[in-house]
Structures are given as structure tokens and as C-alpha cells.
Amino acid sequence: MKNSAEVVIIGGGISGCSTAYNLAKKGVKNIVVLEKNYICSGSTGRCGAGVRMQWGTEMNCKIAKKSIEFYEHANEILEYDRDVEFKQSGYLLIADNEKEIEQFKKNIVVQHECGIPSSLLTPEEAKKIVPYLNTDMLKGAAYCSKDGFLNPFKTTDAFYRAAKRLGVKFNTFTEVTGIIKEKGRVTGVETNKGVIHTNIVVNATNAYSKSICDMIGLGIPVYSERHQILVTEPVEPMQEPMVMSFGLNLYVQQSPEGSFIMGRGDNSEPRDLRITSSWHFAEEMAKTIDAVLPPISKLRVVRQWAGLYNMTPDKQPIYDKAENVEGFYLAVGFSGHGFMFGPITGVAMSEMILGEKPTVDVSMLNLDRFRTGNLILEPSVV
Amino acid sequence: MDENTIICRCSDVTLKQVRDLINDGYVTYDEIKRITRIGMGPCQGKTCGQLVMREIANATGQNIKDVKFQTTRPPAVGVKLGLIAEEGRRNEE
């Protein structure tokens, strides 16, 4: 392992790999990525893989739209010889109550201002898109055909391989044990395999971001929450879009391989970083699917798994640098949408580190907002 | 053995694909799984798991007992969602 680097990025998920790639592309030499497990082993590799522009805050809409525009050309831009498998088959957001329809209307105004082609649908119109949708309980839906999904493993792999070609060094199975600071600035990172001297550290550890920040005495208001997903046996193609509902607490999508992937949130989960499976989840998920999309309940579950959301108080990420410790940057707190924001995370962090003019102004997503109370709460997170 | 032999029958992955990935530095079961979908299908690695681990062991000089398999997750065998829902509703009564 190298004992010095210009930039050390902690975390080998989509955020870390994308940041490494963008910095290297802009000519930064000697970048090291530290990953305590293997590439894409954390939140990215456990995510639901959907990417959508249908958000409720202008900031999230803008970042998501830019990211999706990148994903449309990811194979070419990253010169990837495999395929990131990007499919724009839409997101159908269904609502079982009027309050949510009102929220959709507000969201769509924000989305249209950002140039996002979303629209409000009646239950009948929603049924045309997903014919076996049980519309008895539905009040309406929102739809955007540009939303979609892609393979999180291969997408991260594409960033990883592109970064590697540009000279970035990846140290997997290397765990950060401490961060060295002298006179108010970062000077090195301690790992289980030795020390690396550096003046710039990027915390891209999402679920574990708090413990990394604790190493320099920076308190951040985030916590990690377990979210679970299950996957069924594969069947012939029968569902185009991701079907999602905030009120019914559900997202479900048929993957290109034919299996259905579905998940839900549970804010009563213990906040202890566990990623074990629970039967409670399987049962609640099954009951919801049986009611909303009845034919899918005939499919067999082959596996369930879990991953961690890193939640912030307003459910928007933190892109910032520490105020009192020079050289310490954060791209954390993605609140369940780090994968969809991945391409822009790398762009935004590289611009921040190099002092360039921002492509997307993410200055609102600073740490100070939690102190000043300047929060704009994202209403649309499952 | 013919390198075009399919060793993962759920996802149609050949021995050659696995060997190429190992040569390219993807030397854990989970890394190979994430690129090829090996072990993600209905068999959950019950068919291919040992074969892939043997390839990793041979290529890296490890003893196969030291090669880590994927996390074992529920359910043990495929269960229909409708049955889980039915049991769930019964439990509520």
C-alpha cells in the first residue's frame, strides 16, 4: 500500500468510486480509495437499483435529473466493456389517499420547473401502464417515463474500472481505524494495513459516515436505518415501470432477468447497523403485494437481504467540508438515494475539492443547515 | 474441462467467465456474484457455490475451507408470496 496520497477517499461504493473517477479525470494524481470490504459491498450493492427524477425538492430533482442524463450515456462515457443495463421504463407512483395526490401536484410543479416530464394520472390511466394493478384503493398516480433502473454492481464497476485506468489505487479489505489531524488540518489516515499521509480525505462511507466523522471529532446529525428487500424467482416480462407508493410503503420492480425486486421502509427499525433479515419484513411485504399487485403473490421468494440508509433530518444528502478541520470532505447522508445521485456526487465533490465553479449548485446541502434550521424536507422517500 | 461448461444454471454463467474474472482480480465469491449474478438465482448458489469456490481456491492457493461463501439468507427454499401473506393475515387474527 502507498504511504502517501494527494487524496484519500474512504468508501468503495458508488459515491467513492464516482468521486475518484471525477478527480482523476480532472488530472489529480495519486488518489487512493480505501474500502473495508470489497468494491460495492455496502449500501450501493444492496440498493433497490431504481433511479427517478420524481422528487419533491428542487435540489433532489436537479441532482437526480443530471444523474439520469449521465446514466443514459454511462457505458460510452466510462468506456465500459460490460453493460450498466440502464432501462428507462418509468416510475409509477401510486397513492391511496388525497393528501398524497395533493403532494404529487406540488411535486409535479417543482419537477416541471426542472424540466422533468412527469404527469398526474387517474387510477384508470395507471391501470393502462400496469394492467394487473388493483385500483380499488387508489386515488391516483404520478408517472415519469424517463425514470428507470440500472445494475448497481456493474455501474459501480464501471466507475471503478474507469478510475483504475486513470491511475487511481484501490485498497480493498482495508479498514480505516483513525484519521490524523495536526493544527486543525488532516494529515493522514490510519488503516489496519498502515498509515497513508494525505492532506485531503473524503468521507464517502454513507452508512458508516458517523463513525468516520467521530474520528476527527465532527458530530453530524445522521443515523443509519436498516431497509430490506426481497427477490422472487424469474418470470417472463410482465411489468414495465417501478411501482412505488409512499403511503402503502412499497416499491416493486421487475428486473431484466425477470425476477421481481421489492422493498419497503420501517422507521421503527433499531439504529444499530445490523443488516440481518427479519421475517416481519417478508410478511408485511407479502401482504402489501397481495393487496396491490395480486398476480405477483403467486411468485416464490428466493432471497431477502438488507442494507443501510444513512438518514439526515431533511432526507437530502450532505455535500460539504468540515469547518474546523481543513481537508476533510463529506459526501454522506444519502437517505436511500445515493446510487441515483452517484454521478453527480462525483462531479460535485471533485469541483468542491478543486475549487471549481459548480455544475450543479449543491451549496444548500451543507452541514450548516442543521445548525441554522435551514431545512427543506424531502417529502418523497420510501 | 471445457471452459464453455455452464457452472451456474440459474444465470447461464460459464467456467470461462468465472476464470476470466478471477484473473482480472475479482477473487471473492461475492465479487464474482455481483458481476455475473452467480448465486442470485432460484438455487441461491446451492448448485454453483462449491464449483466457484473451488475455482477461487485453485487460483489463489487458498484452502477451499477458507474461501468465503455468500451470506445465507431466508427463505431456505422458495416460498410463494401469497402463502407468506396468508400466514401473516392469520397471525393478525
Side-chain angles (χ1 to χ4, degrees):
Chain A
M1 193 170 78
K2 282 188 172 186
N3 62 9
S4 76
E6 202 170 322
V7 180
V8 171
I9 297 164
I10 311 172
I14 190 76
S15 303
C17 291
S18 169
T19 302
Y21 163 75
N22 278 281
L23 283 169
K25 200 178 67 176
K26 289 174 179 173
V28 178
K29 305 279 178 236
N30 204 356
I31 301 164
V32 170
V33 176
L34 302 175
E35 165 55 53
K36 75 170 174 177
N37 214 318
Y38 52 89
I39 298 300
C40 201
S41 56
S43 300
T44 308
R46 296 164 188 284
C47 77
V51 292
R52 64 178 153 118
M53 303 186 199
Q54 295 185 80
W55 289 96
T57 62
E58 189 191 342
M59 188 49 95
N60 280 346
C61 284
K62 276 186 180 164
I63 299 173
K65 182 166 183 277
K66 284 262 181 208
S67 278
I68 287 176
E69 285 163 2
F70 175 91
Y71 281 143
E72 285 171 347
H73 307 287
N75 286 328
E76 299 89 78
I77 299 168
L78 300 173
E79 296 173 45
Y80 192 46
D81 53 3
R82 298 182 182 116
D83 179 7
V84 300
E85 299 165 14
F86 187 40
K87 304 273 184 307
Q88 280 172 298
S89 44
Y91 256 61
L92 181 70
L93 308 181
I94 56 173
D96 67 337
N97 61 77
E98 288 298 338
K99 199 175 151 231
E100 220 173 312
I101 298 292
E102 290 311 307
Q103 185 65 54
F104 284 172
K105 286 180 186 161
K106 282 185 211 157
N107 290 0
I108 287 172
V109 171
V110 178
Q111 288 156 12
H112 285 182
E113 277 166 9
C114 298
I116 295 167
S118 53
S119 53
L120 197 68
L121 305 183
T122 62
E124 294 70 36
E125 288 168 324
K127 209 172 168 66
K128 278 187 189 142
I129 298 172
V130 180
Y132 52 87
L133 181 66
N134 176 6
T135 48
D136 292 352
M137 79 242 306
L138 294 194
K139 299 286 182 218
Y143 179 69
C144 174
S145 64
K146 288 279 190 182
D147 295 345
F149 60 97
L150 70 169
N151 184 317
F153 316 121
K154 288 187 177 164
T155 305
T156 311
D157 190 53
F159 275 110
Y160 157 73
R161 293 175 78 87
K164 220 163 112 170
R165 282 196 303 273
L166 292 167
V168 175
K169 293 276 175 280
F170 286 83
N171 293 306
T172 53
F173 300 101
T174 306
E175 189 168 356
V176 171
T177 53
I179 292 168
I180 310 163
K181 62 175 186 181
E182 284 164 39
K183 298 187 186 114
R185 71 159 307 128
V186 167
T187 57
V189 177
E190 292 168 349
T191 78
N192 60 348
K193 293 186 180 165
V195 172
I196 306 176
H197 299 284
T198 183
N199 287 323
I200 297 174
V201 170
V202 182
N203 179 358
T205 59
N206 199 47
Y208 310 97
S209 59
K210 202 176 172 64
S211 59
I212 297 291
C213 285
D214 284 346
M215 290 174 184
I216 59 155
L218 174 69
I220 56 169
V222 302
Y223 63 88
S224 291
E225 183 177 278
R226 178 176 70 171
H227 279 243
Q228 300 188 63
I229 298 181
L230 64 79
V231 59
T232 70
E233 59 192 324
V235 286
E236 292 296 313
M238 58 188 275
Q239 181 177 313
E240 279 271 311
M242 171 84 90
V243 174
M244 185 165 183
S245 174
F246 306 109
L248 300 164
N249 193 2
L250 155 84
Y251 62 86
V252 53
Q253 165 119 68
Q254 186 172 24
S255 74
E257 294 74 35
S259 54
F260 276 81
I261 288 174
M262 58 192 81
R264 62 194 284 127
D266 182 351
N267 54 21
S268 64
E269 283 281 320
R271 298 173 183 180
D272 58 3
L273 302 176
R274 79 172 72 166
I275 46 169
T276 48
S277 300
S278 81
W279 187 250
H280 178 72
F281 158 74
E283 234 173 48
E284 294 303 309
M285 191 77 245
K287 283 191 289 188
T288 307
I289 282 293
D290 201 28
V292 182
L293 298 155
I296 300 177
S297 67
K298 295 199 171 63
L299 302 179
R300 287 176 182 82
V301 181
V302 297
R303 185 182 180 83
Q304 63 181 88
W305 72 89
L308 297 166
Y309 278 24
N310 191 228
M311 304 297 293
T312 63
D314 57 5
K315 300 184 180 112
Q316 302 193 79
I318 302 168
Y319 296 125
D320 205 357
K321 51 186 176 220
E323 206 174 278
N324 300 324
V325 184
E326 208 184 320
F328 188 85
Y329 293 81
L330 304 95
V332 304
F334 287 98
S335 307
H337 36 285
F339 176 58
M340 28 185 132
F341 287 7
I344 297 309
T345 298
V347 170
M349 293 315 292
S350 63
E351 287 167 348
M352 191 186 294
I353 291 165
L354 300 174
E356 293 173 348
K357 192 176 168 291
T359 311
V360 184
D361 182 10
V362 293
S363 58
M364 214 177 83
L365 300 178
N366 56 25
L367 261 177
D368 213 33
R369 74 185 194 267
F370 306 115
R371 194 175 54 81
T372 58
N374 206 5
L375 308 181
I376 301 171
L377 200 67
E378 170 56 60
S380 307
V381 175
V382 169
Chain B
M1 199 191 333
D2 181 356
E3 283 210 320
N4 290 318
T5 303
I6 285 178
I7 65 171
C8 165
R9 298 189 296 198
C10 299
S11 305
D12 290 349
V13 183
T14 63
L15 180 59
K16 183 171 180 352
Q17 281 174 280
V18 172
R19 287 186 175 163
D20 287 349
L21 279 174
I22 294 173
N23 288 335
D24 210 6
Y26 300 79
V27 292
T28 60
Y29 185 92
D30 274 329
E31 286 170 283
I32 295 168
K33 170 183 169 179
R34 275 161 160 68
I35 301 295
T36 61
R37 305 189 58 80
I38 253 181
M40 288 188 186
C43 98
Q44 286 293 301
K46 292 183 190 86
T47 312
C48 55
Q50 289 295 322
L51 301 172
V52 174
M53 283 154 68
R54 188 194 60 194
E55 286 300 317
I56 294 169
N58 287 345
T60 59
Q62 295 174 84
N63 190 318
I64 192 164
K65 75 173 165 52
D66 299 323
V67 178
K68 205 168 162 264
F69 187 50
Q70 68 187 17
T71 309
T72 302
R73 293 273 194 181
V77 292
V79 185
K80 284 185 177 172
L81 276 162
L83 286 175
I84 301 174
E86 202 183 308
E87 279 304 304
R89 285 189 296 261
R90 203 204 315 273
N91 289 340
E92 278 170 8
E93 283 165 9

